[in-house]
Amino acid sequence: MSVPFAVLRHASTDWNVAHRLQGLTDTPLNAAGEADARGWRLPSPAEGWQRFSSPLQRARRTAELIQPPAPVIVDSALREMSFGTWEGHTIAELRERVGAAFIAAENKGLDFQPPGGESPRAAMARIGRWTASIAANGQPVVAVSHKATMRALLALATGWDMMGRPPHKLDWRCLHFFSAHADGRVSIDRLNVPL
């Protein structure tokens, strides 16, 4: 048995515009992000599904604003991956400041781990427990989450080791449909569905 679920990334923040790693830094939506989220409408069949969100305010606010209105359940499993001491910096800044050590960390794929942060492998395990709970509950859900967490979900569904380009390009302004299976697997249903 499988249970469908859908995931989207939160709307824009000032740190997104500046290309800063947000991680667990609790940044709010900017004015453009608020306007975008207000204009987003969940497509069928997700518009009637139970709605979940990361606890970070940029995701919670997006979940509250998208149409149609629905109660939002906050689940910490949907939080962004922690970038530890690298939060607030851009990749370009880190490549320059940290140098070879940052580039070596980037080349570790699933085992990339910022100082004081979380690895994609750990984020995959966390999101995998969440998808297992979806399968066990048997109720379709739509969740608002974050870029690194959604990349971890894509890795879980495809076996991607996060080395090189992802097997599918995710449009961060779209909804992505998956299925959670009772045996713990996750499969892709439809990606890049417009809101």
Side-chain angles (χ1 to χ4, degrees), residues 5-11 26-27 29 37 40 42 49-66 70-80 126-127 130 134 140-146 149-150:
F5 69 96
V7 183
L8 70 145
R9 186 188 189 198
H10 61 81
D26 202 7
T27 53
L29 295 182
W40 290 347
L42 292 173
W49 292 354
Q50 194 171 41
R51 194 169 303 172
F52 279 75
S53 169
S54 154
L56 296 168
Q57 66 176 317
R58 58 193 183 268
R60 279 195 338 263
R61 183 69 177 147
T62 300
E64 291 165 357
L65 291 173
I66 54 177
V72 176
I73 298 165
V74 172
D75 192 319
S76 66
L78 296 165
R79 71 187 179 276
E80 178 60 297
R126 168 169 48 87
I127 202 72
W130 181 78
I134 298 303
V141 304
V142 60
V144 180
S145 191
H146 306 270
T149 303
M150 291 171 64

Coordinates of all heavy atoms in Angstrom, one line a residue, residues 5-11 26-27 29 37 40 42 49-66 70-80 126-127 130 134 140-146 149-150:
F5 N 1.7 12.0 -1.1 CA 1.9 13.2 -0.4 C 2.6 14.2 -1.4 O 3.1 13.8 -2.4 CB 2.8 13.0 0.9 CG 4.2 12.6 0.6 CD1 5.2 13.6 0.6 CD2 4.5 11.3 0.4 CE1 6.6 13.2 0.4 CE2 5.9 10.9 0.2 CZ 6.9 11.8 0.2
A6 N 2.5 15.5 -1.0 CA 3.1 16.5 -1.9 C 3.9 17.5 -1.0 O 3.6 17.7 0.1 CB 2.0 17.3 -2.6
V7 N 5.0 18.0 -1.6 CA 5.9 18.9 -0.9 C 6.2 20.1 -1.7 O 6.3 20.0 -3.0 CB 7.2 18.2 -0.6 CG1 8.1 19.1 0.3 CG2 6.9 16.9 0.2
L8 N 6.2 21.3 -1.1 CA 6.7 22.5 -1.8 C 7.6 23.3 -0.9 O 7.6 23.1 0.4 CB 5.5 23.4 -2.2 CG 4.7 24.1 -1.1 CD1 4.2 25.5 -1.6 CD2 3.5 23.3 -0.8
R9 N 8.4 24.1 -1.5 CA 9.3 25.0 -0.7 C 8.6 26.2 -0.3 O 7.7 26.7 -1.1 CB 10.5 25.3 -1.6 CG 11.6 26.0 -0.8 CD 12.7 26.5 -1.8 NE 13.8 27.1 -1.1 CZ 14.7 27.9 -1.7 NH1 14.6 28.2 -2.9 NH2 15.7 28.3 -1.0
H10 N 9.0 26.8 0.8 CA 8.5 28.1 1.2 C 8.7 29.1 0.2 O 9.6 29.0 -0.6 CB 9.1 28.5 2.6 CG 10.6 28.6 2.5 ND1 11.2 29.8 2.0 CD2 11.6 27.8 2.8 CE1 12.5 29.6 2.0 NE2 12.8 28.4 2.5
A11 N 8.0 30.2 0.3 CA 8.2 31.4 -0.6 C 9.4 32.1 -0.2 O 10.1 31.8 0.8 CB 6.9 32.3 -0.6
D26 N 15.8 31.5 11.6 CA 14.4 31.7 11.4 C 14.0 33.0 10.7 O 13.4 33.9 11.3 CB 13.6 31.6 12.8 CG 12.2 31.2 12.6 OD1 11.8 30.8 11.5 OD2 11.5 31.2 13.6
T27 N 14.3 33.0 9.4 CA 14.1 34.2 8.6 C 12.6 34.3 8.2 O 12.0 33.3 7.8 CB 15.0 34.2 7.4 OG1 14.8 33.0 6.7 CG2 16.4 34.4 7.8
L29 N 9.4 35.5 5.6 CA 9.1 35.8 4.2 C 9.4 37.3 3.9 O 9.1 38.1 4.8 CB 7.7 35.5 3.8 CG 7.3 34.0 3.8 CD1 5.8 33.9 3.4 CD2 8.2 33.1 3.0
A37 N 3.0 33.7 -2.1 CA 2.3 32.7 -1.3 C 0.8 32.9 -1.3 O 0.0 32.0 -1.4 CB 2.8 32.6 0.1
W40 N -0.6 31.5 -4.5 CA -0.5 30.1 -4.8 C -1.7 29.4 -4.5 O -2.3 29.6 -3.4 CB 0.7 29.5 -4.1 CG 2.1 30.0 -4.6 CD1 2.3 30.6 -5.8 CD2 3.3 29.8 -3.9 NE1 3.7 30.9 -5.9 CE2 4.3 30.4 -4.8 CE3 3.7 29.2 -2.7 CZ2 5.7 30.4 -4.5 CZ3 5.0 29.2 -2.4 CH2 6.0 29.8 -3.3
L42 N -3.2 25.4 -4.3 CA -2.8 23.9 -4.4 C -3.7 23.3 -5.5 O -4.9 23.4 -5.5 CB -3.1 23.2 -3.1 CG -2.1 23.6 -1.9 CD1 -2.6 23.0 -0.6 CD2 -0.7 23.2 -2.3
W49 N -6.0 17.9 1.0 CA -5.2 17.1 1.9 C -4.8 17.8 3.2 O -4.8 19.0 3.2 CB -3.9 16.7 1.2 CG -4.1 15.7 0.0 CD1 -5.3 15.1 -0.3 CD2 -3.1 15.3 -0.9 NE1 -5.1 14.3 -1.4 CE2 -3.7 14.4 -1.8 CE3 -1.7 15.5 -1.0 CZ2 -3.1 13.7 -2.8 CZ3 -1.1 14.9 -2.1 CH2 -1.7 14.0 -2.9
Q50 N -4.6 17.1 4.2 CA -4.1 17.6 5.5 C -2.8 18.4 5.2 O -2.0 18.0 4.4 CB -3.9 16.5 6.4 CG -3.7 16.9 7.9 CD -3.7 15.7 8.8 OE1 -3.1 14.7 8.5 NE2 -4.3 15.8 9.9
R51 N -2.6 19.6 5.8 CA -1.5 20.4 5.6 C -0.5 20.4 6.7 O -0.9 20.6 7.9 CB -2.0 21.9 5.3 CG -0.9 22.7 4.7 CD -1.5 24.0 4.2 NE -2.6 23.8 3.2 CZ -3.4 24.8 2.8 NH1 -3.2 26.1 3.2 NH2 -4.3 24.5 1.9
F52 N 0.8 20.2 6.4 CA 1.9 20.2 7.3 C 2.9 21.3 7.0 O 2.9 21.8 5.8 CB 2.6 18.9 7.3 CG 1.9 17.8 8.0 CD1 0.8 17.1 7.6 CD2 2.5 17.3 9.3 CE1 0.2 16.1 8.3 CE2 1.8 16.3 10.0 CZ 0.7 15.7 9.5
S53 N 3.7 21.7 8.0 CA 4.7 22.7 7.7 C 5.9 22.4 8.7 O 5.7 21.9 9.8 CB 4.1 24.1 8.0 OG 5.2 25.0 8.0
S54 N 7.0 22.9 8.2 CA 8.2 23.0 9.0 C 7.9 24.0 10.1 O 7.1 24.9 9.9 CB 9.4 23.5 8.2 OG 10.3 24.3 8.9
P55 N 8.6 23.9 11.3 CA 8.3 24.9 12.3 C 8.9 26.3 12.0 O 8.6 27.3 12.7 CB 9.0 24.3 13.6 CG 10.0 23.4 13.0 CD 9.5 22.9 11.7
L56 N 9.8 26.4 11.0 CA 10.4 27.7 10.7 C 9.4 28.7 10.1 O 8.6 28.3 9.2 CB 11.6 27.5 9.8 CG 12.7 26.7 10.5 CD1 13.8 26.3 9.5 CD2 13.4 27.5 11.6
Q57 N 9.4 29.9 10.5 CA 8.3 30.9 10.2 C 8.2 31.1 8.7 O 7.0 31.3 8.2 CB 8.5 32.2 10.9 CG 9.7 33.0 10.5 CD 9.8 34.4 11.1 OE1 8.8 35.1 11.3 NE2 11.0 34.7 11.6
R58 N 9.2 31.0 7.9 CA 9.1 31.2 6.4 C 8.2 30.1 5.8 O 7.4 30.3 4.9 CB 10.4 31.3 5.8 CG 11.4 30.1 5.9 CD 12.8 30.4 5.5 NE 13.7 29.3 5.6 CZ 14.5 29.1 6.6 NH1 14.4 29.9 7.7 NH2 15.4 28.1 6.6
A59 N 8.3 28.8 6.4 CA 7.5 27.7 5.9 C 6.1 27.8 6.5 O 5.1 27.6 5.7 CB 8.1 26.4 6.2
R60 N 6.0 28.1 7.8 CA 4.6 28.2 8.4 C 3.8 29.2 7.7 O 2.6 29.0 7.5 CB 4.8 28.5 9.9 CG 5.1 27.3 10.8 CD 4.9 27.6 12.3 NE 4.9 29.0 12.6 CZ 6.0 29.7 13.1 NH1 7.2 29.1 13.3 NH2 5.9 30.9 13.4
R61 N 4.4 30.4 7.5 CA 3.6 31.5 6.9 C 3.2 31.1 5.5 O 2.1 31.4 5.1 CB 4.5 32.8 6.9 CG 3.8 34.0 6.4 CD 2.7 34.4 7.3 NE 2.0 35.6 6.8 CZ 0.8 36.0 6.9 NH1 0.0 35.2 7.6 NH2 0.3 37.1 6.5
T62 N 4.1 30.5 4.7 CA 3.7 30.0 3.4 C 2.5 29.1 3.5 O 1.5 29.2 2.7 CB 4.9 29.3 2.7 OG1 6.0 30.3 2.6 CG2 4.5 28.9 1.3
A63 N 2.6 28.1 4.4 CA 1.5 27.1 4.5 C 0.2 27.8 4.9 O -0.9 27.4 4.5 CB 1.9 26.1 5.6
E64 N 0.2 28.9 5.7 CA -1.0 29.6 6.1 C -1.6 30.4 4.9 O -2.8 30.6 4.9 CB -0.6 30.6 7.2 CG -0.3 29.9 8.5 CD 0.4 30.8 9.6 OE1 0.6 32.0 9.2 OE2 0.7 30.4 10.7
L65 N -0.7 30.9 4.0 CA -1.2 31.8 3.0 C -1.7 31.1 1.7 O -2.6 31.6 1.0 CB -0.1 32.8 2.6 CG 0.3 33.8 3.6 CD1 1.5 34.6 3.2 CD2 -0.9 34.7 3.9
I66 N -1.2 29.9 1.4 CA -1.6 29.2 0.1 C -3.1 28.9 0.2 O -3.6 28.6 1.3 CB -0.7 28.0 -0.2 CG1 -0.6 27.0 1.0 CG2 0.7 28.4 -0.6 CD1 0.1 25.8 0.7
A70 N -6.4 26.3 5.2 CA -6.6 25.0 5.9 C -5.8 25.1 7.2 O -4.8 25.9 7.2 CB -6.1 23.9 5.1
P71 N -6.1 24.4 8.2 CA -5.3 24.3 9.4 C -3.9 23.7 9.1 O -3.8 22.9 8.2 CB -6.1 23.4 10.4 CG -7.4 23.3 9.8 CD -7.3 23.6 8.4
V72 N -2.9 24.2 9.8 CA -1.5 23.8 9.5 C -1.0 23.0 10.7 O -1.0 23.5 11.9 CB -0.6 25.0 9.2 CG1 0.8 24.5 9.0 CG2 -1.1 25.7 8.0
I73 N -0.5 21.8 10.5 CA 0.2 21.0 11.6 C 1.7 21.2 11.4 O 2.2 21.0 10.3 CB -0.2 19.5 11.4 CG1 -1.7 19.3 11.6 CG2 0.6 18.7 12.4 CD1 -2.2 18.0 11.1
V74 N 2.3 21.7 12.5 CA 3.8 21.9 12.4 C 4.5 20.6 12.8 O 4.1 19.9 13.8 CB 4.1 23.0 13.4 CG1 5.6 23.2 13.6 CG2 3.5 24.3 12.9
D75 N 5.5 20.2 12.0 CA 6.2 19.0 12.3 C 7.7 19.3 12.1 O 8.2 19.7 11.0 CB 5.8 17.9 11.3 CG 6.3 16.5 11.7 OD1 7.5 16.4 12.1 OD2 5.6 15.5 11.6
S76 N 8.5 19.1 13.2 CA 9.9 19.5 13.1 C 10.7 18.6 12.1 O 11.8 19.0 11.7 CB 10.5 19.4 14.5 OG 10.5 18.0 15.0
A77 N 10.2 17.4 11.7 CA 10.9 16.6 10.7 C 11.0 17.3 9.4 O 11.9 17.0 8.6 CB 10.1 15.3 10.5
L78 N 10.2 18.3 9.2 CA 10.2 19.1 7.9 C 11.1 20.3 7.9 O 11.2 21.0 6.9 CB 8.8 19.5 7.6 CG 7.8 18.4 7.3 CD1 6.3 18.9 7.3 CD2 8.1 17.7 6.0
R79 N 11.8 20.5 9.0 CA 12.7 21.7 9.2 C 13.8 21.6 8.1 O 14.1 20.5 7.6 CB 13.3 21.8 10.6 CG 14.3 20.7 10.9 CD 14.7 20.7 12.4 NE 15.7 19.7 12.7 CZ 15.4 18.4 13.0 NH1 14.1 18.0 13.0 NH2 16.3 17.6 13.2
E80 N 14.4 22.7 7.9 CA 15.6 22.8 7.0 C 16.8 22.1 7.6 O 16.9 22.0 8.9 CB 15.9 24.3 6.7 CG 17.1 24.5 5.8 CD 17.0 23.9 4.4 OE1 16.9 22.6 4.3 OE2 17.0 24.6 3.4
R126 N 15.9 11.7 8.7 CA 14.8 12.4 9.4 C 13.6 12.5 8.5 O 12.4 12.2 8.9 CB 15.3 13.8 9.7 CG 14.2 14.8 10.1 CD 14.8 16.1 10.7 NE 15.8 16.7 10.0 CZ 15.7 17.6 9.0 NH1 14.4 17.9 8.6 NH2 16.7 18.2 8.5
I127 N 13.7 12.8 7.2 CA 12.6 12.9 6.3 C 12.0 11.5 6.0 O 10.8 11.3 5.8 CB 12.9 13.7 5.0 CG1 11.7 14.3 4.4 CG2 13.7 12.9 4.0 CD1 11.0 15.4 5.1
W130 N 9.6 10.7 8.6 CA 8.4 11.4 8.4 C 7.5 10.7 7.3 O 6.3 10.5 7.5 CB 8.7 12.8 8.0 CG 7.5 13.6 7.7 CD1 6.6 14.2 8.7 CD2 6.9 14.0 6.5 NE1 5.6 14.9 8.1 CE2 5.7 14.8 6.7 CE3 7.2 13.7 5.2 CZ2 4.9 15.3 5.7 CZ3 6.5 14.2 4.1 CH2 5.3 15.0 4.4
I134 N 3.7 8.9 7.3 CA 2.6 9.2 6.3 C 2.1 7.8 5.9 O 0.9 7.7 5.8 CB 3.2 10.0 5.1 CG1 3.7 11.4 5.6 CG2 2.1 10.1 4.0 CD1 2.7 12.2 6.3
P140 N -3.3 11.2 2.9 CA -2.5 12.0 2.1 C -2.3 13.4 2.8 O -3.2 13.9 3.4 CB -3.3 12.2 0.8 CG -4.4 11.2 0.8 CD -4.6 10.8 2.3
V141 N -1.1 13.9 2.6 CA -0.7 15.2 3.1 C 0.0 16.1 2.1 O 0.6 15.6 1.2 CB 0.1 15.1 4.4 CG1 -0.6 14.3 5.5 CG2 1.5 14.6 4.1
V142 N 0.0 17.4 2.3 CA 0.8 18.3 1.6 C 1.6 19.1 2.6 O 1.1 19.5 3.7 CB 0.0 19.3 0.7 CG1 -1.0 20.1 1.5 CG2 0.9 20.2 -0.2
A143 N 2.9 19.2 2.4 CA 3.8 19.8 3.3 C 4.6 21.0 2.7 O 5.0 20.9 1.6 CB 4.8 18.8 3.9
V144 N 4.8 22.0 3.5 CA 5.7 23.1 3.1 C 7.0 22.9 3.9 O 7.1 22.9 5.1 CB 5.1 24.5 3.5 CG1 6.0 25.6 3.0 CG2 3.7 24.6 2.8
S145 N 8.1 22.8 3.1 CA 9.4 22.6 3.7 C 10.5 23.5 3.1 O 10.2 24.6 2.8 CB 9.7 21.1 3.5 OG 10.9 20.7 4.3
H146 N 11.7 22.9 2.9 CA 12.9 23.7 2.5 C 13.7 23.0 1.5 O 13.6 21.8 1.3 CB 13.7 23.9 3.8 CG 13.0 24.5 4.9 ND1 12.9 25.9 5.1 CD2 12.3 24.0 5.9 CE1 12.1 26.1 6.2 NE2 11.8 25.0 6.7
T149 N 16.0 20.0 2.6 CA 15.2 18.9 3.0 C 14.6 18.2 1.8 O 14.5 17.0 1.7 CB 14.2 19.4 4.0 OG1 14.9 20.0 5.1 CG2 13.3 18.2 4.5
M150 N 14.1 19.0 0.8 CA 13.5 18.5 -0.4 C 14.5 17.8 -1.2 O 14.2 16.7 -1.9 CB 12.8 19.6 -1.1 CG 11.5 20.0 -0.4 SD 10.7 21.5 -1.1 CE 10.2 20.9 -2.7

